[in-house]
Amino acid sequence: MVFRSLRSPRRLAAVAVFSIVAASALGFAATNTVPATNAGDGSGTVSGYTISNVHYNLNPSNPATANSVTFDISPALPSGGTAHVSFDGGTTWSNACSTGTTITCTFSTPQSIGAAFTSLRVVAAQ
């Protein structure tokens, strides 16, 4: 029986080529960079706002419509927060409201105080 040597030049060349390819692939993989990021999971309390001192600002040309509404909000709505109001149960919404403890929300067109003026709905988030 004839045994081939495990150290034949052909096998050594094949192992050398394989080692070079493997090292090259690892070298390319090592150049990948990923920016630092954050991830997390948890829970917290979501509490509501208290609305008081509501004042409807009527349109001087047509007092049967309101241009805006002003109210106090507690806790204060921070400068990064947003709020919108609706007079008709959520069909029509105001432009973005001001922030702070006294909020003013305006509409792009005056809102009729007629039958569609059914409620004041305030949606606010920090």
Side-chain angles (χ1 to χ4, degrees):
M1 238 182 183
V2 177
F3 290 100
R4 292 187 180 175
S5 169
L6 292 176
R7 295 186 183 171
S8 73
R10 259 190 183 163
R11 286 197 180 172
L12 287 175
V15 169
V17 169
F18 176 76
S19 297
I20 291 169
V21 170
S24 297
L26 289 174
F28 285 120
T31 61
N32 293 339
T33 57
V34 177
T37 58
N38 295 323
D41 184 16
S43 62
T45 303
V46 176
S47 60
Y49 288 96
T50 301
I51 306 298
S52 61
N53 300 323
V54 177
H55 177 75
Y56 299 97
N57 304 305
L58 302 179
N59 183 330
S61 302
N62 181 0
T65 61
N67 291 336
S68 64
V69 62
T70 302
F71 54 88
D72 292 337
I73 189 168
S74 178
L77 187 63
S79 62
T82 58
H84 294 274
V85 297
S86 175
F87 294 148
D88 57 11
T91 302
T92 307
W93 289 93
S94 70
N95 298 321
C97 304
S98 62
T99 58
T101 56
T102 300
I103 305 292
T104 299
C105 302
T106 59
F107 287 87
S108 30
T109 59
Q111 300 297 298
S112 174
I113 301 178
F117 197 92
T118 58
S119 63
L120 173 64
R121 183 174 180 188
V122 178
V123 177
Q126 291 184 339

